[in-house]
Amino acid sequence: MQTCTAAAIQMISTPEVATNLATAAGLIAQAAERGAQLVVLPEYFAIMGARDTDKLAVQEAYGGGPLQDFLAGAAKRHGIWLVGGTIPLASDDPARVRNSCLAFDPAGQCVARYDKIHLFGFDNGSERYAEADTITPGAEPVAFETPFGRIGLAVCYDLRFPELFRREQLDIWVLPAAFTATTGRAHWEVLLRARAIENQCYVIASGQGGVHPTGRETFGHSLIADPWGQVLDVLPQGEGLALAELKASQLERVRKTLPALQHRRL
């Protein structure tokens, strides 16, 4: 791994794609101006509709479309590695899409695609979410190489499934998310820090963070955690970013001092 500066962007996305892209463009530029070489957008950054089905209207075929062009252009314009939160990509089922996380290199080329595997389902009597109604799950974990080390892609609800993060030893995990306020207050930080600690890696988690025009409330607290589980920066609520240096020396120190990954037996 090489030391780099990373930014986790936080948004309060609306049902209006153009508005969201303008906000994302400004925050990406701000991150680049502050020296970020690796930038991560949140889940559903381009649209959080009034209905779960709203995202079907803006779905794209993989390989080209306004949302993918936006991400590729932003990465190239600023010369950064950009993880594009998630966007709706077409699936074989016309009633459902893939919730896809795309990564772009500084030349604007898409170097990785991850389709969210674990789909959120929650019902406490007053709040109900059923992503499987409008999303087709992915099947394969995805990681990609960068000058800063090998990076794994995960999305939101994936955080609750530690076996995904154990598939291979990586240097950085990124996790775009739109955690609900209810579940976020209870579990967000503790799970992110646990994934960083148990896998001895950096974790960059970019969330939606506030009350959306639709009335939905997301938890925010976008953060960057190091391999010892320390939170290097966090943005509790509102639009903005968490920014931190991911030091190669810290990764090496933790893995040498406490070589837990070498001690695994199961």
Side-chain angles (χ1 to χ4, degrees), residues 123-140:
D123 189 345
N124 67 358
S126 58
E127 288 180 273
R128 180 183 181 276
Y129 302 95
E131 287 189 325
D133 289 349
T134 55
I135 296 172
T136 299
E140 295 296 328

PDB file of all heavy atoms in Angstrom, residues 123-140:
ATOM      1  N   ASP A 123     -38.625  -4.013   8.962  1.00  0.00           N
ATOM      2  CA  ASP A 123     -40.011  -3.639   9.262  1.00  0.00           C
ATOM      3  C   ASP A 123     -40.195  -3.640  10.772  1.00  0.00           C
ATOM      4  O   ASP A 123     -40.224  -4.691  11.409  1.00  0.00           O
ATOM      5  CB  ASP A 123     -40.986  -4.632   8.614  1.00  0.00           C
ATOM      6  CG  ASP A 123     -42.438  -4.182   8.711  1.00  0.00           C
ATOM      7  OD1 ASP A 123     -42.732  -3.267   9.507  1.00  0.00           O
ATOM      8  OD2 ASP A 123     -43.275  -4.751   7.995  1.00  0.00           O
ATOM      9  N   ASN A 124     -40.259  -2.438  11.352  1.00  0.00           N
ATOM     10  CA  ASN A 124     -40.459  -2.337  12.800  1.00  0.00           C
ATOM     11  C   ASN A 124     -41.870  -1.865  13.157  1.00  0.00           C
ATOM     12  O   ASN A 124     -42.136  -1.466  14.289  1.00  0.00           O
ATOM     13  CB  ASN A 124     -39.420  -1.408  13.430  1.00  0.00           C
ATOM     14  CG  ASN A 124     -39.581   0.043  13.007  1.00  0.00           C
ATOM     15  OD1 ASN A 124     -40.460   0.366  12.205  1.00  0.00           O
ATOM     16  ND2 ASN A 124     -38.739   0.923  13.544  1.00  0.00           N
ATOM     17  N   GLY A 125     -42.755  -1.895  12.158  1.00  0.00           N
ATOM     18  CA  GLY A 125     -44.128  -1.480  12.398  1.00  0.00           C
ATOM     19  C   GLY A 125     -44.417  -0.073  11.922  1.00  0.00           C
ATOM     20  O   GLY A 125     -45.524   0.219  11.473  1.00  0.00           O
ATOM     21  N   SER A 126     -43.421   0.795  12.011  1.00  0.00           N
ATOM     22  CA  SER A 126     -43.612   2.172  11.540  1.00  0.00           C
ATOM     23  C   SER A 126     -42.741   2.495  10.331  1.00  0.00           C
ATOM     24  O   SER A 126     -43.046   3.392   9.553  1.00  0.00           O
ATOM     25  CB  SER A 126     -43.301   3.166  12.666  1.00  0.00           C
ATOM     26  OG  SER A 126     -41.972   3.007  13.136  1.00  0.00           O
ATOM     27  N   GLU A 127     -41.644   1.757  10.178  1.00  0.00           N
ATOM     28  CA  GLU A 127     -40.767   1.892   9.016  1.00  0.00           C
ATOM     29  C   GLU A 127     -40.673   0.548   8.315  1.00  0.00           C
ATOM     30  O   GLU A 127     -40.537  -0.485   8.973  1.00  0.00           O
ATOM     31  CB  GLU A 127     -39.352   2.296   9.427  1.00  0.00           C
ATOM     32  CG  GLU A 127     -39.170   3.701   9.916  1.00  0.00           C
ATOM     33  CD  GLU A 127     -37.714   3.937  10.293  1.00  0.00           C
ATOM     34  OE1 GLU A 127     -37.340   3.644  11.440  1.00  0.00           O
ATOM     35  OE2 GLU A 127     -36.949   4.405   9.428  1.00  0.00           O
ATOM     36  N   ARG A 128     -40.743   0.571   6.997  1.00  0.00           N
ATOM     37  CA  ARG A 128     -40.595  -0.675   6.246  1.00  0.00           C
ATOM     38  C   ARG A 128     -39.753  -0.435   5.005  1.00  0.00           C
ATOM     39  O   ARG A 128     -39.973   0.536   4.278  1.00  0.00           O
ATOM     40  CB  ARG A 128     -41.946  -1.243   5.821  1.00  0.00           C
ATOM     41  CG  ARG A 128     -41.843  -2.554   5.040  1.00  0.00           C
ATOM     42  CD  ARG A 128     -43.187  -3.071   4.552  1.00  0.00           C
ATOM     43  NE  ARG A 128     -43.028  -4.323   3.838  1.00  0.00           N
ATOM     44  CZ  ARG A 128     -42.704  -4.430   2.541  1.00  0.00           C
ATOM     45  NH1 ARG A 128     -42.524  -3.322   1.814  1.00  0.00           N
ATOM     46  NH2 ARG A 128     -42.559  -5.616   1.970  1.00  0.00           N
ATOM     47  N   TYR A 129     -38.784  -1.300   4.771  1.00  0.00           N
ATOM     48  CA  TYR A 129     -37.943  -1.246   3.582  1.00  0.00           C
ATOM     49  C   TYR A 129     -37.805  -2.657   3.022  1.00  0.00           C
ATOM     50  O   TYR A 129     -37.624  -3.617   3.784  1.00  0.00           O
ATOM     51  CB  TYR A 129     -36.557  -0.685   3.915  1.00  0.00           C
ATOM     52  CG  TYR A 129     -36.597   0.688   4.535  1.00  0.00           C
ATOM     53  CD1 TYR A 129     -36.572   0.852   5.920  1.00  0.00           C
ATOM     54  CD2 TYR A 129     -36.681   1.825   3.747  1.00  0.00           C
ATOM     55  CE1 TYR A 129     -36.630   2.114   6.494  1.00  0.00           C
ATOM     56  CE2 TYR A 129     -36.731   3.097   4.311  1.00  0.00           C
ATOM     57  CZ  TYR A 129     -36.707   3.227   5.684  1.00  0.00           C
ATOM     58  OH  TYR A 129     -36.768   4.475   6.250  1.00  0.00           O
ATOM     59  N   ALA A 130     -37.917  -2.782   1.716  1.00  0.00           N
ATOM     60  CA  ALA A 130     -37.792  -4.081   1.058  1.00  0.00           C
ATOM     61  C   ALA A 130     -37.098  -3.876  -0.285  1.00  0.00           C
ATOM     62  O   ALA A 130     -37.739  -3.757  -1.326  1.00  0.00           O
ATOM     63  CB  ALA A 130     -39.157  -4.731   0.873  1.00  0.00           C
ATOM     64  N   GLU A 131     -35.772  -3.813  -0.259  1.00  0.00           N
ATOM     65  CA  GLU A 131     -35.024  -3.535  -1.486  1.00  0.00           C
ATOM     66  C   GLU A 131     -35.232  -4.605  -2.557  1.00  0.00           C
ATOM     67  O   GLU A 131     -35.148  -4.317  -3.746  1.00  0.00           O
ATOM     68  CB  GLU A 131     -33.533  -3.405  -1.167  1.00  0.00           C
ATOM     69  CG  GLU A 131     -33.176  -2.114  -0.452  1.00  0.00           C
ATOM     70  CD  GLU A 131     -31.685  -1.899  -0.346  1.00  0.00           C
ATOM     71  OE1 GLU A 131     -30.941  -2.887  -0.187  1.00  0.00           O
ATOM     72  OE2 GLU A 131     -31.254  -0.733  -0.413  1.00  0.00           O
ATOM     73  N   ALA A 132     -35.505  -5.824  -2.131  1.00  0.00           N
ATOM     74  CA  ALA A 132     -35.678  -6.909  -3.098  1.00  0.00           C
ATOM     75  C   ALA A 132     -36.881  -6.685  -4.020  1.00  0.00           C
ATOM     76  O   ALA A 132     -36.969  -7.308  -5.076  1.00  0.00           O
ATOM     77  CB  ALA A 132     -35.825  -8.247  -2.367  1.00  0.00           C
ATOM     78  N   ASP A 133     -37.774  -5.787  -3.639  1.00  0.00           N
ATOM     79  CA  ASP A 133     -38.930  -5.496  -4.504  1.00  0.00           C
ATOM     80  C   ASP A 133     -38.513  -4.805  -5.797  1.00  0.00           C
ATOM     81  O   ASP A 133     -39.186  -4.944  -6.826  1.00  0.00           O
ATOM     82  CB  ASP A 133     -39.939  -4.607  -3.769  1.00  0.00           C
ATOM     83  CG  ASP A 133     -40.665  -5.345  -2.653  1.00  0.00           C
ATOM     84  OD1 ASP A 133     -40.554  -6.586  -2.578  1.00  0.00           O
ATOM     85  OD2 ASP A 133     -41.350  -4.667  -1.850  1.00  0.00           O
ATOM     86  N   THR A 134     -37.442  -4.024  -5.738  1.00  0.00           N
ATOM     87  CA  THR A 134     -37.036  -3.239  -6.913  1.00  0.00           C
ATOM     88  C   THR A 134     -35.587  -3.462  -7.339  1.00  0.00           C
ATOM     89  O   THR A 134     -35.125  -2.839  -8.293  1.00  0.00           O
ATOM     90  CB  THR A 134     -37.233  -1.729  -6.646  1.00  0.00           C
ATOM     91  OG1 THR A 134     -36.515  -1.373  -5.451  1.00  0.00           O
ATOM     92  CG2 THR A 134     -38.705  -1.390  -6.481  1.00  0.00           C
ATOM     93  N   ILE A 135     -34.876  -4.343  -6.634  1.00  0.00           N
ATOM     94  CA  ILE A 135     -33.454  -4.566  -6.925  1.00  0.00           C
ATOM     95  C   ILE A 135     -33.182  -6.056  -7.099  1.00  0.00           C
ATOM     96  O   ILE A 135     -33.663  -6.881  -6.315  1.00  0.00           O
ATOM     97  CB  ILE A 135     -32.563  -3.996  -5.807  1.00  0.00           C
ATOM     98  CG1 ILE A 135     -32.712  -2.471  -5.715  1.00  0.00           C
ATOM     99  CG2 ILE A 135     -31.102  -4.365  -6.020  1.00  0.00           C
ATOM    100  CD1 ILE A 135     -32.018  -1.858  -4.520  1.00  0.00           C
ATOM    101  N   THR A 136     -32.397  -6.376  -8.115  1.00  0.00           N
ATOM    102  CA  THR A 136     -31.893  -7.730  -8.313  1.00  0.00           C
ATOM    103  C   THR A 136     -30.517  -7.826  -7.660  1.00  0.00           C
ATOM    104  O   THR A 136     -29.643  -7.003  -7.957  1.00  0.00           O
ATOM    105  CB  THR A 136     -31.771  -8.050  -9.813  1.00  0.00           C
ATOM    106  OG1 THR A 136     -33.065  -7.972 -10.413  1.00  0.00           O
ATOM    107  CG2 THR A 136     -31.201  -9.441 -10.028  1.00  0.00           C
ATOM    108  N   PRO A 137     -30.298  -8.802  -6.784  1.00  0.00           N
ATOM    109  CA  PRO A 137     -29.011  -8.857  -6.081  1.00  0.00           C
ATOM    110  C   PRO A 137     -27.866  -9.287  -6.980  1.00  0.00           C
ATOM    111  O   PRO A 137     -28.042 -10.031  -7.957  1.00  0.00           O
ATOM    112  CB  PRO A 137     -29.256  -9.900  -4.987  1.00  0.00           C
ATOM    113  CG  PRO A 137     -30.314 -10.794  -5.557  1.00  0.00           C
ATOM    114  CD  PRO A 137     -31.199  -9.884  -6.364  1.00  0.00           C
ATOM    115  N   GLY A 138     -26.675  -8.811  -6.642  1.00  0.00           N
ATOM    116  CA  GLY A 138     -25.469  -9.300  -7.291  1.00  0.00           C
ATOM    117  C   GLY A 138     -25.062 -10.628  -6.685  1.00  0.00           C
ATOM    118  O   GLY A 138     -25.705 -11.139  -5.756  1.00  0.00           O
ATOM    119  N   ALA A 139     -23.961 -11.176  -7.199  1.00  0.00           N
ATOM    120  CA  ALA A 139     -23.541 -12.501  -6.745  1.00  0.00           C
ATOM    121  C   ALA A 139     -22.061 -12.588  -6.395  1.00  0.00           C
ATOM    122  O   ALA A 139     -21.664 -13.496  -5.656  1.00  0.00           O
ATOM    123  CB  ALA A 139     -23.860 -13.542  -7.822  1.00  0.00           C
ATOM    124  N   GLU A 140     -21.242 -11.660  -6.883  1.00  0.00           N
ATOM    125  CA  GLU A 140     -19.804 -11.804  -6.738  1.00  0.00           C
ATOM    126  C   GLU A 140     -19.161 -10.621  -6.025  1.00  0.00           C
ATOM    127  O   GLU A 140     -19.432  -9.469  -6.354  1.00  0.00           O
ATOM    128  CB  GLU A 140     -19.151 -11.942  -8.114  1.00  0.00           C
ATOM    129  CG  GLU A 140     -19.538 -13.211  -8.861  1.00  0.00           C
ATOM    130  CD  GLU A 140     -19.068 -14.463  -8.157  1.00  0.00           C
ATOM    131  OE1 GLU A 140     -18.002 -14.413  -7.504  1.00  0.00           O
ATOM    132  OE2 GLU A 140     -19.754 -15.507  -8.269  1.00  0.00           O
TER     133      GLU A 140
END
